[in-house]
Amino acid sequence: MSVSRISALGAIALSGALALSACASENNGSAPAAGSTGAAAGSTAAGDCFSGDLKAEGSSAQKNAIDEAIKAYQNACSDANIDYQPTGSGAGIKQFIAKQVDFAGSDSALKTTPKDGKVEADDAKAACGSEAWNIPMVTGPIAIAYNVKGVDKLVLNAEVAAKIFDGKITTWNDPAIAALNKGVTLPSTPIKVFFRSDESGTTENFTKYLKAAAPDAWSYETGKKWTGKGEGKEKSAGVATAVKGQDGGITYVELSYAQQNQLPMAQIDNGSGPVELTADSVGKTVATAKQTGTGNNLALKIDYATKEAGAYPIVLVTYEIVCSKYADAATGKKAKSFLKTFASDAVQKQLQSKGYAPLPAEVATKVQTAVSAIS
């Protein structure tokens, strides 16, 4: 199944969700397809260009995607300097609230409930002096990627996955794994778990899946900071590279990073049989998402515990966290101008080759409306 087919159907499903409810390295250095930057550059009218600096940071999951948008924008607007640092979703939100960056990338929407005595959405609103919006820009599945000699196909369910990532299942031939993989010769190799050491929206989405689908096996709270067992590595590239170099290794990572490192990915049994990570299976889960935000705040809630047959349940949406009205009007114009290019049909189409889902027409309209409303 090609990346583009996965991306396309995921995008269609996200479109339906909104309509009905109305992290290789962090930069793999690959060149854009011939002519792609020029085509995307056409989405930025010369009169919309800004000169000067625009700073952002956050999600490493979207690093390769936002790089494409930056290339496209700067090709049309050579006086613009756009700096995006893939420090992780948690760090990005903290820097946005601290007014150190102009917008943040996050694989989860701003929290509306207290954590450690703070509410992210409230803090972001205070920092902006206006409402802070969650604008979905990139979608993609999270793979459970592994490296076990002789094992090319693996089935896991939420309970077994939770016990692996909690250090309660420690060898690959454990009876619980064997029961899900009849006929597969599993070695006694020790399991080596790698997790994101930085605060990560990918971690949050993965732990939401474990908590929702296996609450008895995963007792920890969900969040951007990992609370299970294993060895920490920074960012998406860090965990993917670690698994590639470790027989017995396993991690959770965005599809594009698993593919770049040629890592096999587990099929997930959500109660209706093993489900491979494919276009159809991703789309079925994303289609169950509900819009929780109102107006131009396009936050979504995903049903990680879905029992729908053929649904792959571990997916994420990357948001751009912005001020609806920036205290500095010039900064608002810069953010709006760049995000118009990021949300454009030309740039979104390019993202398919990077393992991401482009915004379909219906979602693009909502996102473009929200971006155009930034001031």
Side-chain angles (χ1 to χ4, degrees):
M1 179 64 67
S2 68
V3 175
S4 60
R5 289 185 64 194
I6 291 175
S7 300
L9 197 112
I12 291 169
L14 178 58
S15 166
L18 285 172
L20 290 172
S21 61
C23 320
S25 63
E26 295 305 322
N27 181 357
N28 64 9
S30 60
S36 62
T37 302
S43 66
T44 303
D48 288 337
C49 288
F50 72 83
S51 60
D53 299 330
L54 182 67
K55 294 179 62 178
E57 68 177 85
S59 165
S60 62
Q62 74 161 357
K63 175 66 167 99
N64 295 330
I66 200 168
D67 277 354
E68 288 297 302
I70 291 172
K71 289 176 187 176
Y73 191 88
Q74 291 180 331
N75 187 64
C77 306
S78 58
D79 290 334
N81 178 40
I82 303 168
D83 179 27
Y84 182 81
Q85 296 297 318
T87 55
S89 298
I93 290 175
K94 287 178 180 177
Q95 289 290 80
F96 180 73
I97 290 172
K99 303 182 184 181
Q100 297 302 301
V101 295
D102 303 317
F103 69 91
S106 177
D107 300 328
S108 57
L110 291 168
K111 297 289 179 297
T112 57
T113 55
K115 184 171 184 180
D116 299 328
K118 296 182 178 181
V119 179
E120 283 181 348
D122 292 346
D123 289 348
K125 180 179 179 180
C128 287
S130 64
E131 293 294 331
W133 290 340
N134 303 280
I135 302 180
M137 197 66 73
V138 180
T139 64
I142 301 171
I144 295 182
Y146 66 95
N147 176 12
V148 183
K149 287 182 181 179
V151 181
D152 299 322
K153 181 179 178 180
L154 180 71
V155 176
L156 296 175
N157 60 22
E159 180 180 0
V160 171
K163 290 179 179 179
I164 288 173
F165 283 91
D166 192 25
K168 293 178 180 176
I169 292 177
T170 59
T171 60
W172 281 104
N173 63 349
D174 186 281
I177 301 177
L180 293 171
N181 294 273
K182 297 186 184 301
V184 177
T185 300
L186 296 169
S188 59
T189 308
I191 295 174
K192 179 70 172 179
V193 171
F194 293 99
F195 63 86
R196 288 281 295 273
S197 59
D198 53 318
E199 290 196 5
S200 162
T202 307
T203 296
E204 181 167 10
N205 282 276
F206 183 60
T207 56
K208 281 182 177 179
Y209 159 69
L210 296 177
K211 188 72 171 179
D216 293 337
W218 190 258
S219 60
Y220 306 106
E221 291 301 314
T222 64
K224 296 181 181 69
K225 187 175 181 180
W226 181 251
T227 51
K229 303 297 190 295
E231 179 179 338
K233 297 292 182 181
E234 283 196 357
K235 305 182 179 64
S236 304
V239 293
T241 301
V243 170
K244 185 175 183 178
Q246 175 69 57
D247 183 26
I250 189 170
T251 193
Y252 55 93
V253 71
E254 299 82 359
L255 170 66
S256 60
Y257 288 91
Q259 290 177 322
Q260 287 169 9
N261 287 274
Q262 300 180 319
L263 296 173
M265 296 168 275
Q267 297 181 29
I268 303 299
D269 189 340
N270 64 2
S272 301
V275 180
E276 186 179 354
L277 200 171
T278 68
D280 186 54
S281 64
V282 170
K284 285 182 178 179
T285 295
V286 179
T288 66
K290 305 296 182 184
Q291 185 176 341
T292 58
T294 58
N296 289 323
N297 180 14
L298 304 177
L300 299 171
K301 182 177 181 180
I302 296 169
D303 181 10
Y304 296 97
T306 180
K307 299 294 185 183
E308 182 174 349
Y312 183 88
I314 322 174
V315 298
L316 64 77
V317 174
T318 301
Y319 301 89
E320 310 312 325
I321 310 298
V322 302
C323 296
S324 56
K325 183 175 183 178
Y326 281 81
D328 177 50
T331 300
K333 288 183 67 176
K334 291 177 184 179
K336 177 195 289 189
S337 180
F338 169 65
L339 292 176
K340 278 184 176 180
T341 294
F342 202 172
S344 69
D345 294 341
V347 169
Q348 288 292 315
K349 186 176 181 180
Q350 290 177 29
L351 301 188
Q352 297 183 54
S353 65
K354 299 294 182 181
Y356 301 100
L359 297 173
E362 296 88 343
V363 178
T365 297
K366 290 177 178 288
V367 167
Q368 290 161 6
T369 297
V371 170
S372 295
I374 296 171
S375 62

